[in-house]
Amino acid sequence: MTYQLSPGTLAACKAIFAQHQHTVHSIIDAVAAQTGIPARQIMSRDRDAPTARARQIVMYEARKAGLSYPQIAKVMGRDHTSIIHGVRTEEKRRAQ
């Protein structure tokens, strides 16, 4: 069995992804404003503690906003397992 998606369905899927991407970028901008760490640095591969913490906050807030791990990972350019780790790390920090 093969499935055919109509152009309207494909457009709707792209619109949903664009909305998710917009959500993550809005969260990144908010975290950047609060931490003073530029959005570009949050999205970078830098591993220093303040940048990693800001990135984990973005992951946590995006997950709280209802996005799936793969959706967050795609926007942030990471593997979904990295997102899982970041969310769990931030949850532990907030539980203390």
Side-chain angles (χ1 to χ4, degrees):
M1 176 183 257
T2 57
Y3 295 95
Q4 296 277 336
L5 295 177
S6 71
T9 303
L10 293 174
C13 290
K14 288 179 183 177
I16 290 169
F17 176 70
Q19 181 182 3
H20 294 161
Q21 187 172 6
H22 176 72
T23 302
V24 175
H25 285 294
S26 297
I27 294 169
I28 291 167
D29 291 342
V31 171
Q34 290 298 311
T35 63
I37 298 170
R40 177 180 224 125
Q41 188 172 343
I42 292 172
M43 292 292 286
S44 74
R45 295 277 177 194
D46 290 355
R47 295 177 63 185
D48 61 282
T51 302
R53 174 74 195 274
R55 191 178 303 122
Q56 289 167 349
I57 292 169
V58 169
M59 294 171 185
Y60 174 84
E61 293 298 333
R63 183 70 177 145
K64 246 178 69 175
L67 286 105
S68 70
Y69 294 118
Q71 289 168 332
I72 300 165
K74 188 167 188 172
V75 175
M76 295 192 76
R78 290 184 165 55
D79 186 78
H80 78 280
T81 58
S82 297
I83 306 303
I84 292 169
H85 172 75
V87 170
R88 287 180 180 167
T89 300
E90 187 60 23
E91 285 172 343
K92 287 177 188 174
R93 235 186 241 117
R94 290 177 184 222
Q96 295 176 354

